[in-house]
């Protein structure tokens, strides 16, 4: 039990290091939370506000801070134990509620993928999330982005219930899904009248994205 608690703490600390905030602040003297429209300290805003090289570096680090502690933990503890759910979800919790930014962290997409990368080959959740993100971005396109993310994570969790045998991994995935939905739901409800649209390729089949706001 002590080892699980130790690696949960390590994972949380790793996730709480906000590279997408620190790197622009240190090397460019820019506060990404002030420059971006939504104030999110995430790598997507670094790409938009600082540039591709800095954004790419931040993306790699945001993925790595989820992947590395989970992968290291797997060298010492079993993914079958229920307490591994804490190890698995801790990087996402650390990023989303980072003490470094007074618990006003990011939306945890990159860190989520990092966590699932670190878990591989002990779970198929990584591939399910990637597949659903692609499907709901291309084949059945959902706008806005916040709604697309929430639907993708929910679909991933639902399918995981049928293909993932480990209760610990399912529990970790459920915690991660809840955190990501919580972080994105605020963006969604701030849109007047919940303007959204669902497209099958370019054909709109639901909603009215371009309605007057």
């Amino acid at each position: 039990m002590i080892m699980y608690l130790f690696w949960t703490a390590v994972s949380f600390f790793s996730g709480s290091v906000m590279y997408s905030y620190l790197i622009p602040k240190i090397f460019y003297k820019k506060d990404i939370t002030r420059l971006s429209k939504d104030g999110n300290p995430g790598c997507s805003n670094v790409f938009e506000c600082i540039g591709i090289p800095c954004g790419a570096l931040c993306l790699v680090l945001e993925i790595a801070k989820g992947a590395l502690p989970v992968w290291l933990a797997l060298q010492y503890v079993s993914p079958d134990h229920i307490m591994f759910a804490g190890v698995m979800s801790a990087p996402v919790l650390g990023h989303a509620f980072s003490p470094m930014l007074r618990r006003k962290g990011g939306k945890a997409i990159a860190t989520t993928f990092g966590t699932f990368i670190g878990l591989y080959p002990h779970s198929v959740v990584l591939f399910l999330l990637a597949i659903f993100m692609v499907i709901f971005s291309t084949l059945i396109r959902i706008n806005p982005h916040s709604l697309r993310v929430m639907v993708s994570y929910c679909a991933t969790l639902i399918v995981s219930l049928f293909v993932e045998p480990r209760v610990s991994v399912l529990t970790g995935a459920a915690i991660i899904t809840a955190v990501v939905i919580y972080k994105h739901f605020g963006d969604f409800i701030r849109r007047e009248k919940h303007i959204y649209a669902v497209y099958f390729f370019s054909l709109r089949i639901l909603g009215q994205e371009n309605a007057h706001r």
Side-chain angles (χ1 to χ4, degrees), residues 196-207:
Y196 67 95
V198 179
Y199 296 84
F200 181 71
F201 289 103
S202 60
L203 177 65
R204 189 175 67 217
I205 59 176
L206 186 66

Side-chain angles (χ1 to χ4, degrees), residues 134-143 148 197-206 209:
V134 170
I135 288 174
F136 294 129
S137 297
T138 56
L139 179 60
I140 305 174
R141 182 161 53 91
I142 299 176
N143 288 336
R148 183 187 313 142
V198 179
Y199 296 84
F200 181 71
F201 289 103
S202 60
L203 177 65
R204 189 175 67 217
I205 59 176
L206 186 66
E209 186 179 25

Side-chain angles (χ1 to χ4, degrees), residues 21-32:
Y21 174 81
L22 289 174
I23 291 176
K25 189 78 170 177
I26 294 172
F27 295 103
Y28 294 85
K29 310 302 181 185
K30 294 181 179 180
D31 187 341
I32 197 66

Side-chain angles (χ1 to χ4, degrees), residues 146-178:
S146 55
L147 181 59
R148 183 187 313 142
V149 169
M150 291 190 288
V151 171
S152 298
Y153 273 72
C154 285
T156 299
L157 182 60
I158 291 170
V159 175
S160 295
L161 294 174
F162 298 96
V163 299
E164 174 54 61
R166 295 181 176 88
V167 175
S168 56
V169 173
L170 288 173
T171 303
I175 295 171
I176 290 171
T177 299

Side-chain angles (χ1 to χ4, degrees), residues 24-202:
K25 189 78 170 177
I26 294 172
F27 295 103
Y28 294 85
K29 310 302 181 185
K30 294 181 179 180
D31 187 341
I32 197 66
T33 61
R34 294 175 181 263
L35 290 175
S36 57
K37 295 177 182 178
D38 59 1
N40 178 54
C43 54
S44 61
N45 281 335
V46 178
F47 274 106
E48 181 179 348
C49 299
I50 307 298
I52 294 176
C54 185
L57 174 61
C58 291
L59 175 61
V60 170
L61 291 174
E62 297 288 5
I63 292 174
K65 75 179 186 180
L68 186 59
V70 173
W71 180 81
L72 287 173
L74 285 171
Q75 314 308 308
Y76 300 94
V77 298
S78 170
D80 298 323
H81 196 287
I82 188 61
M83 289 192 69
F84 188 78
V87 179
M88 178 180 160
S89 59
V92 174
L93 287 164
H95 178 85
F97 306 103
S98 175
M100 181 180 295
L101 296 180
R102 299 181 181 181
R103 297 186 299 279
K104 295 180 180 180
K107 296 175 182 176
I109 301 298
T111 307
T112 294
F113 273 96
T115 297
F116 292 147
I117 289 171
L119 188 62
Y120 182 79
H122 297 280
S123 175
V124 298
V125 181
L126 168 65
F127 299 102
L128 290 175
L129 180 57
I131 289 169
F132 281 117
M133 289 290 281
V134 170
I135 288 174
F136 294 129
S137 297
T138 56
L139 179 60
I140 305 174
R141 182 161 53 91
I142 299 176
N143 288 336
H145 174 72
S146 55
L147 181 59
R148 183 187 313 142
V149 169
M150 291 190 288
V151 171
S152 298
Y153 273 72
C154 285
T156 299
L157 182 60
I158 291 170
V159 175
S160 295
L161 294 174
F162 298 96
V163 299
E164 174 54 61
R166 295 181 176 88
V167 175
S168 56
V169 173
L170 288 173
T171 303
I175 295 171
I176 290 171
T177 299
V179 170
V180 171
I181 289 176
Y182 171 78
K183 297 296 290 187
H184 283 80
F185 189 68
D187 277 356
F188 181 64
I189 62 174
R190 277 194 292 271
R191 293 174 176 267
E192 294 182 16
K193 299 180 181 179
H194 295 246
I195 297 171
Y196 67 95
V198 179
Y199 296 84
F200 181 71
F201 289 103
S202 60

